[in-house]
Amino acid sequence: MSKLVICDHPLIQHKLTYIRNKDTNTKDFRELVDEVATLMAYEITREIPLETIKVQTPVAETDAKVVSGRMLGLIPILRAGLGMVDGILKLIPSAKVGHIGLARDHETLQPKEYYINLPTDAPNRLLIVIDPMLATGGSAIAAINSLKQRSCDQIKLMCLIAAPEGVKAFQDAHPDIDIYIAALDERLNEKGYIVPGLGDAGDRMFGTN
């Protein structure tokens, strides 16, 4: 079964409180999401392998560590996932960015892909799929199905908050993909919203209804 990592650093939890607050305005909401994404990026990259190289300091030559192996790719799920990308790029500016667009099919009520654009070398990268909410799990499952169909086999999922129902559905569908979240909330309500949640992340981020 995949690993569920709750990033419980005090700064993440502090900022998440203001993200949840319905009175937080669009500007502050956007900035807080950006900041939490940067902090979460430390945790999600913790296990990236290192290698040793020689470096000449002003004093002497020494052995030093650099990131080894696969480079990173960020794959936000449109549109709310966009709000977390810049925060991660501040820490990992060399990461390439792809996009996956999903919309609910009105007949099947399942996510349907309407857009995908990936780095040409996506199968050779560690991909971080980004979506603020893991509610029912449908969008995240569909996005990773799409990546796997394109020979991408090293993937992690990053979300701000998740519902237990979404975590279970995702782990059942993709037991090989680790999930990184800032909080595991109580449940989904009858409309599929996370409780207590933070409302609609996309609307709050972009000032729409």
Side-chain angles (χ1 to χ4, degrees):
M1 184 60 66
S2 67
K3 179 172 61 177
L4 175 65
V5 178
I6 300 177
C7 304
D8 59 357
H9 190 285
L11 289 177
I12 292 176
Q13 297 306 309
H14 172 82
K15 293 175 186 296
L16 184 60
T17 296
Y18 291 97
I19 290 172
R20 290 186 188 276
N21 190 333
K22 68 180 182 64
D23 295 324
T24 297
N25 63 40
T26 299
K27 173 182 177 293
D28 291 342
F29 184 93
R30 192 180 298 133
E31 291 175 353
L32 286 162
V33 168
D34 180 90
E35 292 166 0
V36 169
T38 301
L39 293 168
M40 290 185 68
Y42 281 95
E43 188 63 43
I44 204 167
T45 57
R46 179 179 295 276
E47 297 176 358
I48 289 180
L50 297 172
E51 63 179 274
T52 302
I53 65 170
K54 294 287 186 182
V55 172
Q56 181 68 47
T57 79
V59 179
E61 185 177 73
T62 186
D63 291 337
K65 303 293 185 182
V66 294
V67 172
S68 173
R70 294 186 174 188
M71 296 301 291
L72 295 178
L74 309 180
I75 314 294
I77 298 176
L78 303 178
R79 63 181 167 147
L82 291 172
M84 298 175 69
V85 171
D86 285 347
I88 304 172
L89 287 174
K90 290 174 185 176
L91 190 64
I92 316 165
S94 62
K96 290 186 177 180
V97 181
H99 302 88
I100 294 180
L102 299 167
R104 180 175 290 186
D105 187 297
H106 293 297
E107 294 182 2
T108 66
L109 301 182
Q110 296 300 310
K112 184 177 181 180
E113 182 180 294
Y114 66 85
Y115 179 79
I116 185 164
N117 189 356
L118 302 177
T120 54
D121 59 350
N124 298 321
R125 290 178 175 262
L126 167 60
L127 302 180
I128 302 174
V129 174
I130 306 163
D131 199 5
M133 319 287 284
L134 182 59
T136 65
S139 294
I141 291 168
I144 289 174
N145 284 341
S146 185
L147 292 175
K148 287 183 174 180
Q149 290 167 6
R150 291 167 171 82
S151 302
C152 300
D153 61 4
Q154 190 171 351
I155 307 168
K156 296 185 179 184
L157 175 65
M158 176 192 284
C159 305
L160 289 181
I161 62 173
E165 297 93 331
V167 171
K168 183 180 186 306
F170 183 87
Q171 290 181 323
D172 288 345
H174 295 293
D176 56 322
I177 306 296
D178 292 339
I179 308 166
Y180 291 76
I181 61 176
L184 181 63
D185 279 14
E186 296 173 11
R187 59 183 174 85
L188 293 178
N189 67 14
E190 63 280 358
K191 295 182 179 179
Y193 279 90
I194 300 175
V195 179
L198 51 82
D200 186 296
D203 285 344
R204 295 193 64 193
M205 195 173 299
F206 297 109
T208 56
N209 294 317

